[in-house]
Amino acid sequence: MRVLLKTTLDCSADVAWRAIRSPAILQEVVAPWLQFTSLEPGGFPAEWPGGRHRMRTTLLGVIPAGDEAVDLSYSTRGDVRIQRDSGGAESGPLASFHDWDHRIAISPLPDGRTLYRDQLLAEGPIIAWPAAWAFWQWRALRLRALAPGWATHPALR
């Protein structure tokens, strides 16, 4: 399965980069469909460092959906900054997806906004593909709606 997202965000690339590295912003982007609770000592960091981070997932905040891990790495190619998550679900219904490879690329646009590109490659049951595609569309709506406020968001200071 391959799910792609390409959109323009009304914020600078520096602000967008800080936002995609923020567990607090992740929670806002996926709400209300998913909610994450850290399984790490001390809870979520203010900013995701590279490496593996475990969390528990619930649907709509009440339906257990299993545990998952983000396994993050970061790179830069010219003015493009890339976050790669090669983790994935460890239990629950989302564990039917495997070979998880989720990449987000952040690029500055000449007008000061951000080109946001997002790609998920994963293997999973064909019946789940429409739901994954629909969820990615929800992410796009949330990203565009939230991005203008990120420059002053308390989690990104």
Side-chain angles (χ1 to χ4, degrees):
M1 169 183 67
R2 181 176 180 198
V3 184
L4 299 172
L5 172 61
K6 181 178 177 182
T7 192
T8 300
L9 301 178
D10 288 327
C11 66
S12 72
D14 289 338
V15 168
W17 183 244
R18 287 195 314 272
I20 68 159
R21 295 179 67 158
S22 168
I25 298 299
L26 171 64
Q27 294 274 35
E28 292 178 7
V29 169
V30 300
W33 304 109
L34 297 176
Q35 183 177 353
F36 301 116
T37 304
S38 177
L39 296 175
E40 300 294 331
F44 286 121
E47 180 179 288
W48 297 111
R52 192 170 176 81
H53 311 278
R54 294 189 66 239
M55 56 192 177
R56 180 147 296 141
T57 306
T58 57
L59 299 171
L60 302 170
V62 294
I63 303 167
D67 295 347
E68 66 180 89
V70 292
D71 192 356
L72 299 171
S73 60
Y74 300 99
S75 61
T76 304
R77 292 187 192 144
D79 64 355
V80 179
R81 289 175 269 189
I82 301 164
Q83 177 188 64
R84 181 179 184 196
D85 173 13
S86 57
E90 299 174 332
S91 65
L94 299 177
S96 64
F97 291 100
H98 53 92
D99 296 328
W100 190 266
D101 185 3
H102 180 204
R103 296 174 194 223
I104 297 172
I106 300 291
S107 308
L109 292 171
D111 63 3
R113 296 181 305 155
T114 297
L115 176 61
Y116 176 96
R117 289 168 287 170
D118 191 334
Q119 173 179 265
L120 172 63
L121 299 172
E123 295 296 323
I126 195 164
I127 195 164
W129 294 9
W133 179 87
F135 183 71
W136 243 245
Q137 303 317 300
W138 174 255
R139 282 172 49 90
L141 291 171
R142 295 291 292 161
L143 288 162
R144 285 192 301 268
L146 295 168
W150 288 343
T152 58
H153 195 290
L156 301 180
R157 292 186 186 180

